[in-house]
Amino acid sequence: RDRSPSRGLGDVYKRQSMTKSSFVGADLRDSTLFEINLELADFTGANLTNANLSGAILKNTNFTGAKLTNANLTGADLYNAEFIKSDLSNANLTRANLDQAKFEDIFVCGKLIKGTFRFGSLFDSISELLDETLGDANPEESKKEKSILELLSC
């Protein structure tokens, strides 16, 4: 039986509570952290590429410098989470709670979006620009909520 410590690759954790955990610099590529309570966790510099965090509780979580490329955050609770210099390329944030989430100098598809934004301001501004571009040519389409997923897709 292998008793070596896990590298995190492909690990599966479901419906557990790991509040206030430190994952600083951790390699969590391809990990499944489905519906897990990670409130107040620290993911500074962690690699969460292709990680499944769907339904996870990530309130007040620090993602500074984290790589979240292709991460699945569907339905996650990211209330007051911080994304500072994080790579959110192709991250799936469908139905995620981003109330009070802070985005600062984030990377999307290799490009830096410089500035500090609380959820709403950055995405609302982009949505308004898209609405102006669409004009009234398709009023039903312009009324639809713009998906954050679309804004982060490469």
Side-chain angles (χ1 to χ4, degrees), residues 23-59:
F23 298 95
V24 175
D27 185 351
L28 297 168
R29 288 175 290 161
D30 302 310
S31 292
T32 298
L33 302 165
F34 176 75
E35 293 184 359
I36 192 167
N37 185 347
L38 291 161
E39 188 169 354
L40 296 166
D42 188 356
F43 287 97
T44 299
N47 186 347
L48 292 155
T49 300
N50 297 316
N52 181 358
L53 293 152
S54 59
I57 298 169
L58 297 159
K59 295 177 185 177

Side-chain angles (χ1 to χ4, degrees), residues 95-106:
R95 295 186 316 276
N97 175 15
L98 294 168
D99 288 340
Q100 300 302 312
K102 178 182 177 183
F103 298 87
E104 183 177 322
D105 296 344
I106 60 171

Side-chain angles (χ1 to χ4, degrees), residues 2 13 69 73 75 79 102 104 107 111 141 146:
D2 182 14
Y13 299 94
T69 304
L73 294 154
Y79 177 83
K102 178 182 177 183
E104 183 177 322
F107 293 90
K111 295 179 182 169
E141 190 64 31
K146 302 298 184 277

Side-chain angles (χ1 to χ4, degrees), residues 65-81:
K67 187 170 185 175
L68 293 143
T69 304
N70 298 315
N72 181 359
L73 294 154
T74 304
D77 187 351
L78 292 157
Y79 177 83
N80 204 39

Side-chain angles (χ1 to χ4, degrees), residues 42-148:
D42 188 356
F43 287 97
T44 299
N47 186 347
L48 292 155
T49 300
N50 297 316
N52 181 358
L53 293 152
S54 59
I57 298 169
L58 297 159
K59 295 177 185 177
N60 303 300
T61 299
N62 184 357
F63 290 101
T64 298
K67 187 170 185 175
L68 293 143
T69 304
N70 298 315
N72 181 359
L73 294 154
T74 304
D77 187 351
L78 292 157
Y79 177 83
N80 204 39
E82 288 193 348
F83 297 90
I84 301 170
K85 296 188 179 179
S86 305
D87 187 343
L88 295 167
S89 302
N90 292 320
N92 186 344
L93 295 164
T94 304
R95 295 186 316 276
N97 175 15
L98 294 168
D99 288 340
Q100 300 302 312
K102 178 182 177 183
F103 298 87
E104 183 177 322
D105 296 344
I106 60 171
F107 293 90
V108 177
C109 307
K111 295 179 182 169
L112 174 65
I113 300 176
K114 199 154 179 60
T116 302
F117 311 94
R118 284 277 173 196
F119 177 68
S121 62
L122 170 64
F123 300 107
D124 289 345
S125 297
I126 293 171
S127 292
E128 287 172 15
L129 287 173
L130 290 173
D131 284 342
E132 288 174 13
T133 302
L134 288 173
D136 291 328
N138 192 346
E140 288 303 311
E141 190 64 31
S142 64
K143 288 181 186 176
K144 289 182 182 176
E145 180 179 328
K146 302 298 184 277
S147 170
I148 294 167

